Amino acid sequence: MASNKKYWKSVEELNSDSSIVETLKQNEFVQEIPVDEFLGDKENLDSSSTSRRDFLKYVGFSTAAATLAACEGPVKKSIPYVVQPEQIRPGVANYYATAIANGYDFASVLIKTREGRPIKVENNADAKVGGGANARVHASVLDLYDSLRVQSPKSEGANVTWEDLDAAVVKKLNGLSAGGKQIVLLTQTFASPSTLKLINEFSQKYGNVSHVTYDAVAEDAALNAFEAKYGVRALADYDFSKAEVIVSFGADFVGDWQGGGYESGYAKGRVPAKGKMSRHIQFESNMSLSGANADKRVALTPSQQKKALAKFYGYLSGTSVAVDLPENIDAACKSAAEQVKAKGSKAVVVTGIQDENAQGLVLDINEMLSSTAFDKDAPKLLRQGNAKAVAGLVADMKAGKVGALIMSGVNPAYTLPQANEFTEGLKNVDLSVTFSMKEDETSALTTYVAAAPHYLESWGDVEIKKGHFALTQPTIRPLFDTRQFQDSLLKWMGSDVAYYDYLKSTWEASVLGGVSWNKALHDGYFVGGQSVMADQDAVDQMVAAPVNGEADDKEVAGEVTAASVGSMLRALANTPETGMELVLYTKTGMGDGQQANNPWLQEFPDPISRVSWDNYLTVSKADAEVMGLENWHVANGALNGSYVNITVNDVAIKNVPVIIQPGQAKGSVGLSLGYGRTNGLKSVMQTGVNAYALYHGFNSVQNVSIEKAGGEHEFACIQLHNTLMGRGDIVKETTLEIFNTKDAKEWNHMPQVSLNHQETPVTSPDVDLWDEFDRTVGHHFNLSIDLNACTGCGACVIACHSENNVPVVGKAEVRKSRDMHWLRIDRYYSSEETFAADNDKKDNISGVGSSMSEFGEMEDPAANPQVAFQPVMCQHCNHAPCETVCPVAATSHGRQGQNHMAYNRCVGTRYCANNCPYKVRRFNWFLYNNNDEFDFHMNDDLGRMVLNPDVVTRSRGVMEKCSMCIQKTQKTILDAKREGREVKDGEFQTACSAACGTGAMVFGDVNDKESKVAELKDSDRMYHLLEHVGTKPNVFYHVKVRNTNEA
Amino acid sequence: MKKVVHRNSTSRILGIGLALMLMFSTSLFAQDGDPAKGKQLFNANCAACHNLDRKMTGPALRGVGDKYEKQWLYDWIHNSAAMVKAGDPQAVAVFEEYNGSPMTAFPQLSEEDIDNIIAYAMEPKPEPAQPAAGAVADAGAAGGSSGFSNNVILAALVLVFGVLVVMLYLVNKTLKRIAEANGIEFEKAEKRLPIWKAFVKNQFLVLVSSIALLLIGAYFAYGYMMQVGVDQGYMPVQPIHFSHKIHAGDNKIDCKYCHSSARVSKTSGIPSLNVCMNCHKNIMEYTGEEDLANGYTKDFYTGEIQKLYKAVGWDANNQQYTGESEPVKWVRIHNLPDFVYFNHSQHVSVAGVECQKCHGPVEEMEVMYQHAPLTMGWCIECHRETDVKMDGNEYYEKIHEELSKKYGVEKLTAAQMGALECGKCHY
């Protein structure tokens, strides 16, 4: 039951005599004002050249100056349009449907524009194409206003004109087409029918052209396996909402596995309805989002994963597979296989192991189960990269066979494991052009940097899934002198057609099948019609003449034939176990690293480790103890850690910081890709180490040797910030069994207080100290958060940043607990269900082998903890503790349930934050906008264009917090008033609820009895945070239910 | 018989002659036309596209009767498109000169009407209004001279006063001397405690008066402080002298014709220049009343219209846009601080508040100024007093029912609806 389960947020808290945890519990603002330190330093005071008199002079002068300056108000200019565009009304937002397709993230989105500026990314709820917008997609709007963008085409650091560039390129291409060296296009995965057609036409025009597609984070094994089995280079699609049992071997499908976008379907099956929810078993090494959400998580090294998969197959099919696995893992495999067998077609198995045998075996398993969640007929096309072709290209470049290299959307000098070979090879290429938004590692080496537009300034199309198309349309005029790759190809082919016209005619000819172009453009997506990318005939039709690169691909494809199950099993079972294994992964916030100059994403705390501004080696506690690696908290609550040097295949990276990660499989370590960039980034954003250097053969698993290095690393980890002051029952959870069989009182206990020796629930008005407001009139907003559906993805955090102009404070300030996130996602660890379960476990130990492992597990709660995510923002208490202590009444209550904060009234006493039981108030220690000390987007005119004009930017010395997006609720009300109608359910949204792709957050008016949120409030699972405090919040949660049924 | 025939023919000749004469006389009369009626017709039908002396959408019409045959004009006005189609060379020439935009057909105009219009168009161009300009100059001169004479009178007065003071002093001195000579002694004033010393000695008085001084000081300091940042009456000089008096007052243009965003947006919107050009494409000079005292002459206003043309890039002579525009940098008058959220559409569309309630008598303002203090107290005051307009708005139905039950009143003020809550305006 919920009440006696122990949660912790940091390994530090498990240490019973940690003084720092105690200090953090007692102090909201950890740092004391160093009065003694300052005044006690006599020497320093004496040596100071500023005397007391001088000080007074300065004060007097500045006061006088300020007074004088205040005498005359500034004259403000107001400049209207000369000719106002018809569709723009100042002060009214417009929305455009478009799609992001940057090679890593593919999603249909809506872009909110104000006065012609895109300011926010929203989910395109109507689009039936691709997943919802994740944290990176939400943050992508800020990349548009990056001050370090390439503003015009460049050559060797100097600006050139497009005409010069075109002339040089066309001359070279014409020279090459006569014969000799080849022309190579090296691009990201476009999955774009029009671009494919265009590249084919380009190839025809110049002859010896080859096109190589390259994904920085490869899915080669899965693509090859799928191609071998089904003949299409694509990825199987999964609908997890249809699966009752999900078994994953190393696939972080809640995260970014195979392009991501699965969390919404997954979450649908996770909410218990009619006594049923899906069961999720995860076998993995790093603690991933999927592992964190799993009902059962088995921590094992990558090589064990392969064996476990083989064993699992053995149990499932009844063939015996000889594999040596630890007893508990073997048991887990058996149990998983039995559950899958029991569910039959309602089960699905996925894997993220970068191995064709493993991928092929999983395809076979799903075929065998005829799993309804498995879709091979409409596969996903958003990964097309070909590792062999890339390796071939590098070899060709070194051999001097490449005459011209044209790149778009790739940064191989940074992302290629053999980056130095690439840079060597680039010297033998006569002409190299890269389309890039940044002066990144690659563009520093190429002959020309072609300034590329952001996707919000471009046209484009993408076939995310077979027959599922999305359109990209510009939402702003190009800010700089940029031209997109496709327009340039057209130009270099001597065509006068703009890419827009080309795109439109391609769609009208091959995609739309009679549906109006304007409708597709308006919707931003199109489903149905013929597949262009996945249909080999369609591709062949476009490719009149075979292209070199394509021909190579086909040859490769010819080689790959589906291996027999037996051989796959043998290969997997015979995986050698060798020493320490490194698992390279991508972080939710950074992805493949192309958005590294985005301060929102840099400051985004990793959902699992809660570390921002860094990547690090995740090490299990057991391994850390052996190697003498440590994490510890310093006096102000900040986290420090040891350094290690790591070596993979003679490539060494020095001084990698270490995080001891609960749940990391012993014998494995993790390191995220995407960090350690140096070019085209502000110096503060140059964080972490470049793990791509270790990504040999595009394999995410490497054998690694680790040695401890000297020094200590300072992390910006918000793990221990804003702790719960020792109060329990923040997270309530139960098991599906108890949930189904017992009364809600037992698993969702309402705290009681004694009134005249009678136990009375705290929510009863009889025990209330306060007079209750009448909330029955008008709107009463509530936010519902379902802990079962929340995967911790963090899209809401970035959406909140973007909607509410939340400032970025930087690594040093985050270390001081001064992060400004209005919405945080707390991550709790727990070991067993209950303390009672620990006892049971001890009693049930049988045999020596089992006792060794299970006692070990119990001794160390951090070995394989359970994880719960809990988004926490201002709870908008009806009896708010903050309101009563504000000396100036800057925070007050609204009738609609929102706790208001008048920033201009606040004098910064911080009493409210001290009195808030939920620790959701944030203090502006500095003026974060227009401040060179905080050189993030708010410090330049370009970056400030992303600010939401409906929300004020807060000044220094002012408290701020979640407003429950009052600007949005007010707008909805006003729209209804103006149109003279009632507000419909679903119209009220907050930034977080709108961004939530899993449906975990639902916002609405509980006075509207028909509304979804009112229904959710009546649920048995509903509870408030710290109910016993009696604050009566307007945010409520749903008890997390875990499906522990083993059968 | 013959005779009769003859007589008949005579009478016929006479008759025909008379008829001819009559006809001729009517046509003569027609040729003259009635310029007064013609002016009316011109303004009603033609002025949207034609000016007498200036090329607009269509050609300048002064002297049009000399350029074309009368019959041609009738046909043209009744149906120009047909003439162009028929290939009349003159018609095609006009049609092509004006970029192939056909003239609207006016079949409802009778030939007489057209004659009247032509008569109006044939009137000689009036001499430029010299006297008006002269009047301005005179007024200016008069203004100048009056200022000058005031100074002279003042100087003379000062001189007179000075002389008087000197004379008084001299008289006093002389009288004293005479008195001394006559042996009259002056009473010496008794030496008394100076008043300020007495004041200092009286501690009670000091206390009371210092308290009073402090209170008065505080009162004025408070008053001074409270008006810091309150720019009531702020009346900056604008780059184009735009008169709300002429537009909203004299011409009775609805506020929301130009400030159309006020209906749907938080900002009322400063009209973009293409909105101005909706009317000013045709209105290129000011013909209304003049305010000579302030120098607002017709030429002055016409000059301001020229500024608009320059900004929007309108070539009035050729009736086309040059494409060279320069946005007008208006000086913003109503400046709410950034921490206040104010939405025009809430007040204008939903509440139906008159613009004048906050912006004052704009239709009387030659130069726009800030009418209201725009302080929070001013907002709150209105929210307390104003009843919410709920009739016929479905949004309010349920809330109104519940709230009126709660407060026991039929009408609800904005405050009762929650319009005094901090978060309604501050976020």
Side-chain angles (χ1 to χ4, degrees):
Chain A
M1 273 177 287
S3 55
N4 54 359
K5 189 167 179 176
K6 188 186 177 191
Y7 292 95
W8 78 95
K9 294 173 100 180
S10 152
V11 182
E12 184 82 10
E13 284 178 82
L14 298 175
N15 185 356
S16 55
D17 43 39
S18 165
S19 62
I20 186 70
V21 173
E22 200 50 38
T23 320
L24 284 167
K25 276 183 187 172
Q26 302 304 333
N27 290 335
E28 165 78 9
F29 297 99
V30 194
Q31 265 194 333
E32 285 182 23
I33 298 167
V35 180
D36 290 341
E37 194 185 311
F38 180 68
L39 293 179
D41 190 354
K42 194 161 176 10
E43 197 182 313
N44 204 354
L45 282 179
D46 287 347
S47 63
S48 165
S49 60
T50 312
S51 67
R52 193 180 59 90
R53 283 175 163 236
D54 285 339
F55 176 72
L56 288 175
K57 277 183 213 160
Y58 298 148
V59 170
F61 178 76
S62 48
T63 314
T67 317
L68 283 172
C71 280
E72 199 162 333
V75 173
K76 287 187 187 161
K77 296 285 166 102
S78 214
I79 306 169
Y81 286 99
V82 171
V83 178
Q84 184 169 326
E86 221 176 304
Q87 60 276 23
I88 290 181
R89 284 210 181 253
V92 180
N94 285 340
Y95 290 82
Y96 296 96
T98 184
I100 181 173
N102 63 13
Y104 192 72
D105 287 306
F106 294 80
S108 272
V109 290
L110 288 184
I111 302 296
K112 178 185 183 186
T113 67
R114 271 290 295 272
E115 285 88 51
R117 298 178 283 129
I119 60 167
K120 191 160 183 304
V121 178
E122 308 260 15
N123 275 317
N124 187 351
D126 294 338
K128 293 164 189 74
V129 173
N134 59 26
R136 294 182 303 275
V137 174
H138 277 286
S140 64
V141 65
L142 188 55
D143 296 337
L144 172 66
Y145 303 118
D146 192 326
S147 58
L148 293 184
R149 278 181 60 183
V150 183
Q151 308 198 352
S152 81
K154 285 188 167 188
S155 173
E156 285 158 10
N159 289 348
V160 294
T161 62
W162 281 106
E163 288 73 31
D164 292 347
L165 193 154
D166 289 342
V169 171
V170 170
K171 190 175 161 214
K172 184 74 204 172
L173 291 181
N174 282 329
L176 288 170
S177 79
K181 295 176 176 182
Q182 56 174 333
I183 301 165
V184 180
L185 302 178
L186 177 64
T187 69
Q188 62 172 79
T189 298
F190 283 115
S192 155
S194 306
T195 310
L196 179 72
K197 183 168 171 241
L198 181 58
I199 287 176
N200 287 329
E201 286 176 13
F202 183 80
S203 309
Q204 279 172 19
K205 158 109 180 154
Y206 286 109
N208 55 346
V209 178
S210 66
H211 176 210
V212 179
T213 311
Y214 165 49
D215 294 323
V217 182
E219 292 287 356
D220 251 84
L223 287 167
N224 289 343
F226 193 89
E227 190 174 10
K229 198 161 167 60
Y230 301 110
V232 181
R233 196 165 172 80
L235 297 166
D237 192 22
Y238 298 88
D239 181 356
F240 290 99
S241 66
K242 290 181 182 156
E244 290 182 12
V245 172
I246 303 160
V247 180
S248 161
F249 289 88
D252 182 14
F253 62 91
V254 181
D256 296 325
W257 173 73
Q258 296 189 352
Y262 293 117
E263 69 278 3
S264 137
Y266 171 73
K268 262 185 215 148
R270 297 296 290 167
V271 179
K274 295 177 189 150
K276 280 170 106 176
M277 66 181 276
S278 66
R279 170 140 170 97
H280 173 191
I281 303 162
Q282 180 88 5
F283 294 83
E284 65 176 10
S285 316
N286 293 351
M287 174 68 93
S288 71
L289 271 184
S290 309
N293 283 292
D295 294 307
K296 184 181 173 71
R297 178 178 182 273
V298 182
L300 71 181
T301 62
S303 53
Q304 284 173 334
Q305 280 174 31
K306 291 187 187 173
K307 290 180 182 174
L309 179 59
K311 194 83 189 169
F312 169 82
Y313 181 83
Y315 282 123
L316 191 65
S317 63
T319 49
S320 77
V321 181
V323 184
D324 53 326
L325 273 171
E327 203 173 329
N328 60 339
I329 297 175
D330 192 275
C333 288
K334 189 174 179 188
S335 151
E338 277 162 8
Q339 291 170 54
V340 167
K341 218 190 273 179
K343 290 291 178 194
S345 66
K346 297 250 172 87
V348 68
V349 181
V350 290
T351 181
I353 303 170
Q354 292 297 320
D355 179 284
E356 281 171 37
N357 293 320
Q359 295 288 347
L361 189 62
V362 165
L363 294 175
D364 276 335
I365 293 173
N366 286 323
E367 282 272 280
M368 189 171 81
L369 295 169
S370 56
S371 167
T372 47
F374 171 71
D375 182 2
K376 64 177 196 311
D377 299 324
K380 293 179 107 173
L381 301 162
L382 34 69
R383 292 287 184 276
Q384 303 279 320
N386 191 325
K388 273 187 192 161
V390 175
L393 169 65
V394 174
D396 283 354
M397 281 165 64
K398 281 175 78 179
K401 291 182 192 163
V402 177
L405 178 65
I406 298 163
M407 291 175 278
S408 175
V410 292
N411 184 7
Y414 162 69
T415 54
L416 266 184
Q418 64 276 32
N420 23 2
E421 289 182 32
F422 176 82
T423 46
E424 280 297 306
L426 203 55
K427 287 176 189 157
N428 300 335
V429 176
D430 304 336
L431 174 82
S432 52
V433 182
T434 181
F435 284 83
S436 174
M437 277 175 56
K438 299 277 169 53
E439 291 191 58
D440 55 20
E441 290 77 1
T442 306
S443 50
L445 306 167
T446 51
T447 332
Y448 285 103
V449 187
H454 188 258
Y455 80 94
L456 295 176
E457 303 166 320
S458 319
W459 285 100
D461 60 349
V462 56
E463 187 175 353
I464 291 178
K465 192 176 143 149
K466 188 178 168 189
H468 291 60
F469 301 87
L471 273 171
T472 303
Q473 65 171 320
T475 57
I476 186 171
R477 267 175 194 244
L479 291 166
F480 305 117
D481 185 14
T482 55
R483 193 173 75 193
Q484 70 187 91
F485 173 65
Q486 290 88 344
D487 267 322
S488 303
L489 284 192
L490 282 165
K491 197 109 198 169
W492 297 340
M493 283 159 59
S495 166
D496 286 333
V497 180
Y499 183 55
Y500 163 70
D501 296 314
Y502 187 87
L503 179 72
K504 193 176 168 188
S505 61
T506 310
W507 268 56
E508 278 167 350
S510 329
V511 178
L512 286 165
V515 177
S516 122
W517 159 259
N518 281 347
K519 167 144 180 33
L521 190 60
H522 167 269
D523 295 346
Y525 73 97
F526 178 74
V527 178
Q530 291 222 319
S531 168
V532 180
M533 300 294 296
D535 189 344
Q536 205 56 48
D537 294 340
V539 175
D540 288 344
Q541 265 179 11
M542 286 184 179
V543 194
V547 181
N548 288 2
E550 298 281 326
D552 285 349
D553 285 358
K554 276 183 198 131
E555 232 168 80
V556 174
E559 282 168 20
V560 185
T561 44
S564 74
V565 172
S567 70
M568 289 197 273
L569 276 179
R570 267 195 303 284
L572 288 172
N574 294 332
T575 310
E577 281 193 54
T578 43
M580 192 62 95
E581 291 174 80
L582 169 70
V583 185
L584 297 167
Y585 68 105
T586 52
K587 272 174 75 168
T588 311
M590 197 49 71
D592 65 350
Q594 57 178 301
Q595 287 171 289
N597 201 30
N598 189 317
W600 288 347
L601 291 177
Q602 288 279 3
E603 192 149 296
F604 174 77
D606 184 76
I608 304 289
S609 66
R610 309 276 281 138
V611 175
S612 59
W613 294 97
D614 253 324
N615 72 342
Y616 36 77
L617 195 71
T618 57
V619 182
S620 72
K621 198 168 182 214
D623 289 331
E625 271 165 17
V626 172
M627 288 185 277
L629 306 174
E630 282 181 313
N631 279 163
W632 65 97
H633 288 268
V634 292
N636 64 359
L639 183 75
N640 283 12
S642 315
Y643 279 120
V644 290
N645 296 335
I646 57 177
T647 314
V648 174
N649 286 0
D650 301 332
V651 179
I653 299 183
K654 293 217 181 315
N655 287 342
V656 182
V658 168
I659 285 278
I660 297 172
Q661 175 63 53
Q664 180 78 38
K666 193 176 168 218
S668 71
V669 291
L671 182 63
S672 81
L673 300 163
Y675 282 82
R677 280 186 57 187
T678 48
N679 286 29
L681 271 77
K682 288 180 180 171
S683 59
V684 281
M685 313 277 188
Q686 295 176 12
T687 53
V689 297
N690 182 6
Y692 279 114
L694 311 178
Y695 194 40
H696 295 294
F698 299 103
N699 195 342
S700 59
V701 179
Q702 303 284 342
N703 288 321
V704 66
S705 62
I706 300 171
E707 61 176 38
K708 191 179 175 186
E712 57 187 75
H713 185 76
E714 297 189 335
F715 286 106
C717 175
I718 63 168
Q719 192 159 238
L720 261 189
H721 297 176
N722 306 304
T723 65
L724 302 162
M725 322 298 253
R727 287 162 175 152
D729 73 355
I730 286 277
V731 178
K732 284 192 184 177
E733 62 176 72
T734 185
T735 64
L736 186 63
E737 198 184 346
I738 297 172
F739 173 74
N740 281 338
T741 52
K742 301 251 172 80
D743 197 55
K745 258 188 250 167
E746 295 204 25
W747 48 267
N748 190 8
H749 180 69
M750 171 66 72
Q752 313 278 320
V753 286
S754 179
L755 175 71
N756 302 328
H757 308 288
Q758 295 281 314
E759 289 277 288
T760 318
V762 288
T763 46
S764 159
D766 301 333
V767 293
D768 207 333
L769 285 174
W770 305 77
D771 291 330
E772 189 68 60
F773 254 147
D774 178 16
R775 299 202 175 280
T776 54
V777 180
H779 307 293
H780 183 191
F781 298 123
N782 265 215
L783 177 63
S784 161
I785 300 172
D786 192 331
L787 297 185
N788 259 49
C790 177
T791 61
C793 71
C796 50
V797 176
I798 299 292
C800 175
H801 248 71
S802 149
E803 172 73 27
N804 291 303
N805 304 337
V806 176
V808 171
V809 297
K811 187 175 180 181
E813 292 293 306
V814 172
R815 244 181 98 74
K816 292 176 188 158
S817 308
R818 291 174 180 175
D819 58 292
M820 296 300 286
H821 297 96
W822 283 9
L823 162 59
R824 64 175 196 263
I825 302 183
D826 283 335
R827 183 267 298 118
Y828 293 95
Y829 293 132
S830 58
S831 49
E832 272 306 317
E833 295 305 307
T834 59
F835 291 125
D838 275 345
N839 284 330
D840 286 351
K841 192 172 188 181
K842 187 182 71 191
D843 294 343
N844 291 336
I845 286 172
S846 60
V848 183
S850 152
S851 79
M852 291 296 281
S853 65
E854 293 192 12
F855 267 128
E857 274 175 39
M858 279 171 64
E859 270 175 34
D860 185 1
N864 192 11
Q866 289 185 336
V867 187
F869 294 107
Q870 183 174 50
V872 179
M873 69 294 290
C874 175
Q875 300 288 302
H876 295 273
C877 315
N878 284 341
H879 296 166
C882 52
E883 289 166 15
T884 48
V885 293
C886 181
V888 293
T891 182
S892 62
H893 217 70
R895 190 184 291 162
Q896 297 173 341
Q898 285 146 320
N899 172 263
H900 298 160
M901 179 74 219
Y903 308 117
N904 46 313
R905 191 156 186 145
C906 176
V907 294
T909 63
R910 296 186 271 149
Y911 292 162
C912 52
N914 285 306
N915 214 33
C916 173
Y918 307 106
K919 304 295 133 206
V920 291
R921 288 179 160 264
R922 301 285 178 267
F923 187 67
N924 279 274
W925 290 91
F926 298 96
L927 183 69
Y928 295 108
N929 53 60
N930 225 351
N931 187 340
D932 285 342
E933 296 294 315
F934 298 95
D935 189 18
F936 308 111
H937 67 287
M938 281 196 197
N939 194 38
D940 54 70
D941 283 341
L942 195 59
R944 278 195 287 265
M945 280 169 74
V946 85
L947 294 179
N948 182 356
D950 290 337
V951 178
V952 65
T953 51
R954 280 74 58 182
S955 186
R956 160 183 191 174
V958 167
M959 194 52 89
E960 65 180 61
K961 62 157 196 82
C962 159
S963 66
M964 229 180 204
C965 284
I966 190 165
Q967 72 279 4
K968 289 178 78 107
T969 59
Q970 285 294 93
K971 184 198 173 277
T972 307
I973 293 172
L974 180 55
D975 287 348
K977 280 180 185 170
R978 215 169 36 225
E979 289 157 25
R981 58 174 173 85
E982 284 190 52
V983 181
K984 292 187 284 286
D985 184 34
E987 268 193 272
F988 286 122
Q989 288 286 356
T990 57
C992 51
S993 70
C996 186
T998 63
M1001 288 180 171
V1002 177
F1003 182 73
D1005 176 4
V1006 284
N1007 279 352
D1008 175 5
K1009 294 299 168 208
E1010 307 294 304
S1011 67
K1012 179 107 191 288
V1013 76
E1015 184 195 320
L1016 288 166
K1017 196 169 188 180
D1018 290 337
S1019 157
D1020 277 349
R1021 288 203 291 138
M1022 193 279 288
Y1023 77 100
H1024 290 115
L1025 280 198
L1026 304 179
E1027 190 90 67
H1028 62 275
V1029 185
T1031 49
K1032 306 207 166 165
N1034 283 321
V1035 177
F1036 59 85
Y1037 293 80
H1038 281 114
V1039 174
K1040 187 173 176 75
V1041 180
R1042 285 184 201 274
N1043 188 350
T1044 53
N1045 298 344
E1046 290 277 324
Chain B
M1 275 299 277
K2 230 182 171 181
K3 220 178 172 182
V4 174
V5 170
H6 184 84
R7 199 182 57 217
N8 259 1
S9 69
T10 326
S11 65
R12 192 187 279 170
I13 288 164
L14 272 172
I16 289 170
L18 194 72
L20 266 175
M21 228 174 81
L22 272 172
M23 214 175 92
F24 196 60
S25 68
T26 36
S27 71
L28 258 184
F29 181 64
Q31 188 130 45
D32 292 343
D34 181 356
K37 277 187 191 161
K39 188 178 179 184
Q40 269 180 12
L41 285 165
F42 182 87
N43 286 341
N45 295 305
C46 319
C49 299
H50 292 281
N51 188 297
L52 287 185
D53 304 308
R54 205 177 280 117
K55 209 166 144 184
M56 283 172 57
T57 313
L61 292 186
R62 180 137 359 243
V64 70
D66 296 341
K67 287 186 202 152
Y68 300 101
E69 293 291 320
K70 185 138 293 180
Q71 191 56 48
W72 188 91
L73 280 173
Y74 294 152
D75 294 344
W76 174 262
I77 292 168
H78 285 148
N79 192 352
S80 69
M83 288 175 79
V84 174
K85 215 170 173 187
D88 183 289
Q90 274 184 313
V92 171
V94 176
F95 182 69
E96 273 168 6
E97 191 184 343
Y98 289 89
N99 303 326
S101 58
M103 178 173 147
T104 320
F106 290 92
Q108 75 273 23
L109 291 179
S110 67
E111 292 190 357
E112 193 182 339
D113 290 338
I114 295 172
D115 288 335
N116 288 340
I117 293 169
I118 295 170
Y120 171 61
M122 293 304 290
E123 281 193 326
K125 196 175 177 180
E127 285 300 300
Q130 285 301 342
V136 177
D138 287 352
S145 67
S146 77
F148 173 70
S149 62
N150 279 350
N151 286 344
V152 170
I153 291 167
L154 269 175
L157 275 173
V158 168
L159 199 72
V160 169
F161 272 117
V163 170
L164 275 173
V165 169
V166 171
M167 277 165 67
L168 251 146
Y169 179 72
L170 289 176
V171 168
N172 195 15
K173 210 175 172 184
T174 320
L175 283 173
K176 259 192 190 166
R177 214 186 303 139
I178 293 167
E180 263 171 30
N182 292 351
I184 298 168
E185 275 197 17
F186 293 105
E187 246 183 86
K188 277 265 162 77
E190 204 181 312
K191 190 109 179 163
R192 282 169 60 183
L193 205 55
I195 189 149
W196 62 273
K197 274 192 177 164
F199 176 74
V200 169
K201 277 197 171 174
N202 187 339
Q203 287 192 348
F204 175 72
L205 207 59
V206 169
L207 185 73
V208 169
S209 47
S210 47
I211 288 174
L213 268 177
L214 276 173
L215 284 176
I216 293 165
Y219 176 79
F220 282 108
Y222 181 80
Y224 175 75
M225 298 293 188
M226 287 316 280
Q227 59 86 43
V228 169
V230 176
D231 299 320
Q232 199 167 9
Y234 178 44
M235 193 197 248
V237 177
Q238 300 288 1
I240 295 179
H241 178 91
F242 176 86
S243 168
H244 277 91
K245 182 165 167 277
I246 293 170
H247 290 85
D250 299 348
N251 292 314
K252 301 203 166 32
I253 300 171
D254 185 52
C255 305
K256 283 167 272 176
Y257 176 77
C258 305
H259 299 281
S260 59
S261 305
R263 277 187 283 240
V264 291
S265 171
K266 68 181 212 180
T267 69
S268 65
I270 293 177
S272 56
L273 301 182
N274 59 331
V275 175
C276 307
M277 291 306 288
N278 285 352
C279 301
H280 277 287
K281 219 170 175 179
N282 295 335
I283 304 169
M284 45 191 79
E285 58 188 9
Y286 177 71
T287 53
E289 285 172 25
E290 298 182 317
D291 179 0
L292 301 181
N294 290 308
Y296 299 144
T297 62
K298 288 183 182 172
D299 285 351
F300 170 78
Y301 283 122
T302 306
E304 296 301 305
I305 297 173
Q306 291 306 319
K307 282 191 196 166
L308 165 69
Y309 289 162
K310 185 156 181 282
V312 78
W314 173 251
D315 182 351
N317 295 325
N318 296 318
Q319 293 286 308
Q320 61 190 14
Y321 288 102
T322 59
E324 289 165 23
S325 59
E326 44 181 82
V328 181
K329 294 178 183 173
W330 301 102
V331 180
R332 196 178 160 137
I333 298 168
H334 300 87
N335 291 298
L336 273 187
D338 284 346
F339 52 74
V340 191
Y341 180 85
F342 174 83
N343 195 308
H344 271 93
S345 71
Q346 163 78 60
H347 295 82
V348 174
S349 294
V350 179
V353 176
E354 287 292 314
C355 305
Q356 283 82 350
K357 181 141 191 197
C358 305
H359 292 291
V362 177
E363 68 281 0
E364 293 165 15
M365 293 181 190
E366 179 64 35
V367 179
M368 186 70 195
Y369 60 87
Q370 183 179 329
H371 169 77
L374 299 187
T375 58
M376 186 166 125
W378 171 80
C379 296
I380 295 277
E381 202 64 35
C382 191
H383 281 182
R384 284 212 175 99
E385 290 165 357
T386 311
D387 289 332
V388 179
K389 193 182 126 199
M390 295 181 172
D391 294 340
N393 193 332
E394 213 172 294
Y395 172 80
Y396 285 112
E397 260 172 33
K398 208 170 121 206
I399 300 169
H400 175 246
E401 193 185 316
E402 288 165 343
L403 272 180
S404 53
K405 214 189 296 165
K406 184 176 170 190
Y407 292 110
V409 286
E410 192 48 39
K411 295 232 163 200
L412 289 161
T413 62
Q416 283 166 323
M417 285 290 298
L420 296 190
E421 291 176 356
C422 306
K424 291 288 169 71
C425 310
H426 299 292
Y427 46 77

